[in-house]
Amino acid sequence: MLNPPHSVCQKKCMSSELDWFTFIHNFIFLPCPPQGRAARQLLERIQSHGIDARLEALKELAKLSADATFAAEFINMEGIGTLARLVESGTFGEMLAFTLTAFLELMDHGIVSWDLISLSFIKQIAGYVNQPMVDVSILQRSLAILESMVLNSHSLYHRVAQEITVGQLIGHLQVSNQEIQTYAIALINALFLKAPEDRRQVSNHVIRGNRPIKAEMAHQLYVLQVLTFNLLEERMMTKMDPNDQAQRDVIFELRRIAFDGENDPTGTEKRKALYSKDYKMLGFTNHLNPALDFTQTPPGMLALDNMLYLAKVHQDTYIRIVLENSSREDKHECPFGRCAIELTRMLCEILQVGELPNEGCNDYHPMFFTHDRAWEEFFCVCIQLLNKTWKEMRATAEDFNKVMQVVREQITRALLRGLNYSEILRLRQSERMSQDDFQSPPIIELRERIQPEILELIKQQRLNRLCEGSCFRKLGNRRRQEKFWFCRLSLNHKMLHYGDLDESPQGEVPFELLSDKIPVSDIKSVVTGKDCPHMKEKSALKQNKEVLELAFSVLYDPDETLNFVAPNKYEYCIWTDGLCALLGREMGSDLTRSDLDTLISMEMKLRLLDLENITIPEAPPPVPKEPSSYNFTYNYS
């Protein structure tokens, strides 16, 4: 049994002339946390029979559900079950939209398992997606709920897959609303991710649309591109069996198309003794048994698939490449087979075949959405580029690795901007010259003298960029509306101001709109990558290499953190450098090293200009007088 309270509590109780049991009732049992009281009141109003009261309650719930404390209280009162029963009972219109919004927000907190969702609820949500005419807000939330089910529960994936097909979702890509398109692609990607055997080609209505692609849509297209290429992983990791006759027949077909012609049924028998010579002309390393060339993984059988596609679909190109090289001098012939195998391996690395999508990456390429066999077509273009580069370099067998290196650079840079071999050569020569010019002792000494002032210049640039500020995206579920926050350094370099934003800003955000701030003097350190507190959580999307490379955190008193995920590598370098400069530490990013090399190189070249016998005027030269008339033209005819 509880003993009566003493000291302050007892005095309060006695002074109010309450006995002990009244004290217990008033001071212990009655108080309730504000979130708990609000959750209970909302739940009672939702369960009431008044339509208007229920609608207002659901509207409030949709707003409050984003708060984790409130969500925990509401869920503990069986609120999720109440919302699910509302959906299953056939609630419609605005009330249904608020119900689905609240349900999704509550479930996204991860307090309860998605496996508890009933089959009737899934069927109801799937029905909204399959209906031809449904409210946009209801459709958005239904697509987002289905995506969460697929991503968070393997058992629910099978149930959702029975109710929704990719073919049905493609219809939602043909609408003009890009939000609907984004949610539809997100659900398609989730289905692809959970079911490799069930992946489908997706129509390119989004790519060909006239509207600009937003960042979220670009990410979903990038994910779709990665998952589509990952379909090739099985073939890439499959070795050829030299004893498999069906696989050997593919190599025979390559030889036949190149050398026998279409209408020569006896060609194979007549040339059987010459197979070894033909395989050597085809450029295989093991011309006695070319099947051995395909036993390394990667690229495995994927290389043979590419070669067969080129030979059958672009037969004229294939025959031209093979015969053109077989007619060259032995030392200058380009080995088609060896090149095709190495090129396939290179493309797998460049396009990251077999790797998971990176959080925050938007690097999709529209050309991969314009053809049903985009991978094979890309290979056909690249093998022609390789053959052309081989000729331009007048390469021999000893130059094979050099040629592949140049081609890799061409492909990598061409995915960003077009460069031919001559441009690549100029770049490589200039890079080589910049490396060789500054190795003598006097030059090294001059470099060491210049370096401190260049570092100070870089430091000021970094701090100026922090004063301008940057927008960061909050890590969270992509199916919910994208959220942003902004951070900038005060002009006197004494405060970090930050705050949430409703949307990505188009320019500089005033300090007045940033409600929170951290004194720079309170900052203890800056950590990056996996040392960041928000990267230590176990999450597949947060732990991938891309996010780890862009994550950093500010640790400040008393044991608080401000967590960042930069939108790109450039912003990551700017902010980590700037924060280190504020703390008086060395700026060690890749961008600092690159800027330092560039600026020192420019400064040294200026100082080393040959100015002997050249008079440098102290004042700038005068501007020439205007001509007496402007009646002068050039006749191009």
Side-chain angles (χ1 to χ4, degrees):
M1 182 174 178
L2 290 173
N3 294 320
H6 295 285
S7 66
V8 176
C9 292
Q10 188 176 36
K11 291 176 183 177
K12 282 187 179 179
C13 184
M14 295 306 181
S15 65
S16 60
E17 298 182 355
L18 295 173
D19 60 20
W20 169 232
F21 296 102
T22 304
F23 176 84
I24 292 292
H25 178 73
N26 288 343
F27 286 85
I28 297 179
F29 293 111
L30 282 185
C32 179
Q35 292 90 345
R37 193 184 307 97
R40 186 178 300 281
Q41 291 173 356
L42 279 178
L43 189 59
E44 291 173 356
R45 289 163 59 192
I46 290 170
Q47 294 172 333
S48 66
H49 297 291
I51 300 298
D52 293 338
R54 183 183 297 177
L55 178 60
E56 288 300 315
L58 288 169
K59 189 181 297 185
E60 284 186 44
L61 179 62
K63 296 179 180 177
L64 293 174
S65 296
D67 182 80
T69 306
F70 172 85
E73 294 288 344
F74 189 82
I75 290 171
N76 287 336
M77 298 174 187
E78 301 297 325
I80 291 288
T82 301
L83 296 180
R85 287 190 291 273
L86 278 177
V87 175
E88 293 170 5
S89 65
T91 302
F92 59 91
E94 194 176 12
M95 187 178 296
L96 176 60
F98 288 125
T99 302
L100 296 179
T101 301
F103 179 87
L104 182 61
E105 291 282 352
L106 291 168
M107 292 300 294
D108 277 344
H109 288 292
I111 299 173
V112 294
S113 171
W114 283 89
D115 288 315
L116 300 176
I117 303 302
S118 67
L119 181 60
S120 59
F121 181 86
I122 297 173
K123 288 181 176 290
Q124 193 74 24
I125 298 297
Y128 299 139
V129 174
N130 292 331
Q131 285 179 16
M133 297 293 292
V134 67
D135 183 77
V136 171
S137 59
I138 294 174
L139 180 57
Q140 285 181 355
R141 287 151 182 79
S142 298
L143 289 168
I145 289 172
L146 291 176
E147 183 201 2
S148 295
M149 291 180 183
V150 171
L151 290 176
N152 290 286
S153 171
H154 187 69
S155 60
L156 288 186
Y157 153 68
H158 292 291
R159 295 180 179 179
V160 172
Q162 291 173 357
E163 303 294 331
I164 298 288
T165 65
V166 174
Q168 292 168 317
L169 294 174
I170 287 177
H172 294 304
L173 300 181
Q174 301 172 357
V175 300
S176 59
N177 189 321
Q178 194 171 102
E179 295 293 326
I180 295 295
Q181 291 177 328
T182 301
Y183 282 107
I185 289 184
L187 179 52
I188 290 171
N189 288 337
L191 291 169
F192 279 11
L193 189 63
K194 289 291 182 176
E197 73 281 356
D198 220 18
R199 294 169 180 166
R200 297 289 187 270
Q201 293 288 343
V202 178
S203 175
N204 58 353
H205 293 281
V206 178
I207 301 293
R208 292 177 177 173
N210 295 322
R211 297 175 304 279
I213 302 296
K214 297 180 181 178
E216 176 65 12
M217 174 63 78
H219 173 77
Q220 294 298 343
L221 290 171
Y222 155 77
V223 173
L224 179 56
Q225 173 183 292
V226 172
L227 295 178
T228 302
F229 285 146
N230 283 355
L231 292 171
L232 306 167
E233 183 179 12
E234 183 179 355
R235 294 294 285 173
M236 180 183 74
M237 301 308 295
T238 301
K239 297 181 179 181
M240 184 172 187
D241 181 2
N243 299 318
D244 188 324
Q245 187 58 42
Q247 295 179 1
R248 291 171 64 88
D249 287 344
V250 176
I251 300 177
F252 294 158
E253 183 69 4
L254 291 174
R255 191 208 60 78
R256 184 194 66 77
I257 295 174
F259 301 116
D260 287 349
E262 288 291 327
N263 300 315
D264 185 7
T266 62
T268 300
E269 293 298 325
K270 288 181 179 179
R271 299 182 59 86
K272 212 163 192 178
L274 302 177
Y275 277 4
S276 178
K277 180 181 177 182
D278 290 345
Y279 291 144
K280 184 177 181 180
M281 293 172 65
L282 278 171
F284 288 111
T285 303
N286 298 283
H287 53 270
L288 295 176
N289 185 5
L292 297 175
D293 285 17
F294 300 96
T295 55
Q296 285 190 338
T297 57
M301 291 295 291
L302 184 59
L304 186 59
D305 295 342
N306 287 340
M307 294 166 71
L308 184 63
Y309 180 88
L310 174 67
K312 287 194 168 184
V313 179
H314 300 281
Q315 191 172 115
D316 291 342
T317 300
Y318 169 69
I319 294 174
R320 175 179 57 79
I321 291 175
V322 173
L323 297 183
E324 185 179 274
N325 284 290
S326 63
S327 62
R328 290 179 187 161
E329 300 176 40
D330 286 345
K331 65 176 184 178
H332 289 296
E333 63 182 9
C334 177
F336 169 75
R338 183 185 177 191
C339 288
I341 293 170
E342 181 62 21
L343 177 63
T344 302
R345 186 190 63 77
M346 180 196 301
L347 295 181
C348 290
E349 291 179 359
I350 292 174
L351 297 175
Q352 300 177 333
V353 175
E355 296 186 17
L356 289 176
N358 291 323
E359 174 75 7
C361 185
N362 301 335
D363 296 335
Y364 79 97
H365 301 287
M367 64 182 177
F368 293 129
F369 296 88
T370 58
H371 199 284
D372 290 340
R373 305 294 295 274
W375 167 267
E376 291 85 352
E377 288 294 320
F378 188 51
F379 168 83
C380 293
V381 172
C382 291
I383 194 69
Q384 295 179 71
L385 171 67
L386 194 158
N387 188 58
K388 180 174 180 288
T389 303
W390 187 283
K391 288 191 294 183
E392 290 177 348
M393 293 179 67
R394 296 189 56 80
T396 62
E398 289 77 15
D399 300 320
F400 181 83
N401 291 332
K402 292 181 181 178
V403 175
M404 297 308 300
Q405 185 179 357
V406 170
V407 170
R408 184 190 189 96
E409 201 168 344
Q410 284 177 298
I411 294 172
T412 303
R413 297 191 183 188
L415 288 173
L416 302 175
R417 54 189 175 90
L419 290 175
N420 56 33
Y421 168 66
S422 59
E423 292 170 325
I424 293 285
L425 183 61
R426 282 198 298 272
L427 282 171
R428 291 169 65 86
Q429 287 175 342
S430 64
E431 290 167 0
R432 191 181 302 115
M433 288 176 63
S434 65
Q435 292 172 0
D436 296 339
D437 284 346
F438 304 112
Q439 301 304 317
S440 62
I443 300 299
I444 294 175
E445 183 181 349
L446 177 60
R447 182 186 180 94
E448 291 173 351
R449 288 186 181 183
I450 294 174
Q451 184 165 318
E453 59 186 80
I454 298 297
L455 280 173
E456 182 62 26
L457 180 65
I458 294 173
K459 174 184 173 181
Q460 292 303 319
Q461 187 271 339
R462 300 294 193 263
L463 293 176
N464 289 340
R465 278 287 289 109
L466 264 61
C467 290
E468 294 174 8
S470 297
C471 180
F472 300 91
R473 186 173 56 82
K474 287 190 172 183
L475 272 184
N477 295 294
R478 288 191 164 271
R479 52 199 164 273
R480 300 202 299 190
Q481 185 177 0
E482 198 166 19
K483 296 181 180 180
F484 302 91
W485 67 286
F486 197 89
C487 185
R488 63 181 297 194
L489 179 66
S490 63
L491 299 180
N492 61 6
H493 299 174
K494 291 185 177 181
M495 289 285 182
L496 272 181
H497 296 261
Y498 65 97
D500 293 343
L501 300 175
D502 293 331
E503 58 184 14
S504 180
Q506 298 302 316
E508 192 175 278
V509 177
F511 289 108
E512 295 76 21
L513 298 181
L514 305 177
S515 56
D516 300 306
K517 58 184 178 181
I518 301 172
V520 172
S521 59
D522 287 351
I523 298 177
K524 295 188 292 187
S525 65
V526 177
V527 294
T528 61
K530 61 183 180 181
D531 295 328
C532 297
H534 59 312
M535 291 294 107
K536 293 179 181 178
E537 303 171 10
K538 293 184 178 180
S539 167
L541 285 177
K542 289 183 181 178
Q543 289 297 322
N544 68 62
K545 182 179 178 183
E546 181 75 16
V547 175
L548 284 175
E549 289 179 348
L550 298 178
F552 61 99
S553 297
V554 171
L555 308 184
Y556 62 98
D557 292 331
D559 298 325
E560 298 289 339
T561 63
L562 184 61
N563 299 319
F564 299 74
V565 175
N568 51 56
K569 191 67 175 178
Y570 176 80
E571 289 293 332
Y572 169 85
C573 294
I574 289 290
W575 275 84
T576 52
D577 284 343
L579 292 170
C580 287
L582 280 176
L583 300 178
R585 297 174 187 171
E586 182 181 353
M587 299 179 294
S589 73
D590 294 338
L591 183 61
T592 292
R593 287 190 289 271
S594 174
D595 288 349
L596 183 63
D597 289 341
T598 301
L599 293 173
I600 286 181
S601 175
M602 292 172 58
E603 182 67 19
M604 291 180 67
K605 286 178 180 178
L606 287 173
R607 295 195 183 192
L608 294 173
L609 283 175
D610 185 7
L611 301 179
E612 187 176 355
N613 299 323
I614 297 177
T615 303
I616 300 177
E618 295 183 1
V623 178
K625 294 181 180 180
E626 292 187 10
S628 57
S629 71
Y630 289 89
N631 299 324
F632 46 86
T633 60
Y634 185 83
N635 188 358
Y636 289 93
S637 59

